[in-house]
Amino acid sequence: MWNEIKSNIYSASVYFREFILFLVFVVVIIFLLIEKLTLSIPLILLLLVTGFIILNLIGRRRIKEIDEIKNIIASIRKSNYKSSDEIILSEHLSGLENEIKEMFEKAKNDIEYLERLQRMRSQFLANVSHELRTPIFSIQGFIETLLNGAIDDPKVNRHFLQKANQNTVNLSNLLNDLIDISMIESGEMRMSYRYFDINSFIQNILNEFIPLAEEKNIKLTFNPTKEGLQVFGDKDKLRQVLVNLLQNAIKYTDEGSIEILLAEEKKFVNISVRDTGIGIPEADLNRIFERFYRVDKARSRAVGGTGLGLAIAKHIIEAHNSKIIVQSTLGEGSIFSFMLKK
Ligand SMILES: Nc1ncnc2c1ncn2[C@@H]1O[C@H](COP(=O)(O)OP(=O)(O)OP(=O)(O)O)[C@@H](O)[C@H]1O
Ligand SMILES: [Mg+2]
């Protein structure tokens, strides 16, 4: 009992200055109201005892509140709460309760975000190792076969070397994509924006792809817009985007045509690549921009692709404050488009 009173008084001692001021104020009021009254010993004793009792009550209340808050914080630390609704303080501490709830929600979200990041990193590493293994194993296989005697067989030696060579090209493309992705995601991708002629830019890229399209009997077309039309962007990075869109269109189109369309708007130019290819199932449309995501892994591997192209393209277009949009109908074709500032 005495110990409890001692700790109550000790806890209330933070308000000691205010308390003395209050006592002086009470004495002054008493003197003003009852002029005749002199400060007798019983009165002083009465004041002291009242003061003591008040200090004890204040201290008890303060300890109770601090304990309440301490318990809440300890429960948060021990992860006893699943949701912020379980955090409840006395009514007069509702302001503090709301602050603690918000802090709890933020910490919870931060932890979930970090866990998601950690999962993504592990998955990314697993994907990278898997993708690296495929060309390296192939190269190893061809070289071993050659060393085991095939090198002296003129019917296959050249073919095996060409295969091994193709795999080194794949490996090198994959490494370049990985470097791009890591540069983009660490924020180190340097952009260099300027105005350039969109018609000649597209025509140049198109010329490179005409032989590839012809090989597959696909018609590749482009109707230039107003001569000299300039757009604002990083020409090299945008080239990378268009190259991937065209490569995809050719890879995933078996017959028909591929068209590049330019549409001039007030402040923007809309650039689209449209194909009459296999199309993309609706359920996959949101996912094709994820790293390593391929709709049909077997087909993608057969036509060459690791699923990094659209992830890179999305980042590049977003760095231009724009968005890459896809519309597709399974079996009919796809259209990828984005806007650039004029
Ligand atoms: N024009 C298209 N028609 C049909 N499917 C497409 C088209 N473009 C992309 N896809 C689908 O989206 C996936 C992701 O495309 P993305 O360009 O990121 O990867 P990729 O072409 O497989 O490989 P990479 O571009 O890294 O060489 C592809 O694997 C394919 O399944
Ligand atoms: Mg691609």
Side-chain angles (χ1 to χ4, degrees), residues 177 244-245 247-253 275 277-280 288-290 293-296 300 304-311 328 333-334 336:
D177 282 353
N244 181 53
L245 292 183
Q247 268 173 354
N248 285 351
I250 294 176
K251 278 195 296 195
Y252 302 107
T253 301
D275 65 58
I278 59 172
I280 301 161
I288 53 171
F289 296 97
E290 288 172 19
Y293 193 81
R294 287 158 296 192
V295 175
D296 177 349
S300 292
T306 43
L308 288 174
L310 284 177
S328 187
S334 315
F336 287 81

Side-chain angles (χ1 to χ4, degrees), residues 11 56 68 141 176 184 216 254 264 272 284 300 323 327:
S11 168
N56 182 37
E68 207 179 329
N176 283 334
I184 288 167
K216 282 190 78 177
D254 295 327
E264 203 181 337
S272 315
D284 295 297
S300 292
K323 227 179 142 203
Q327 290 162 281

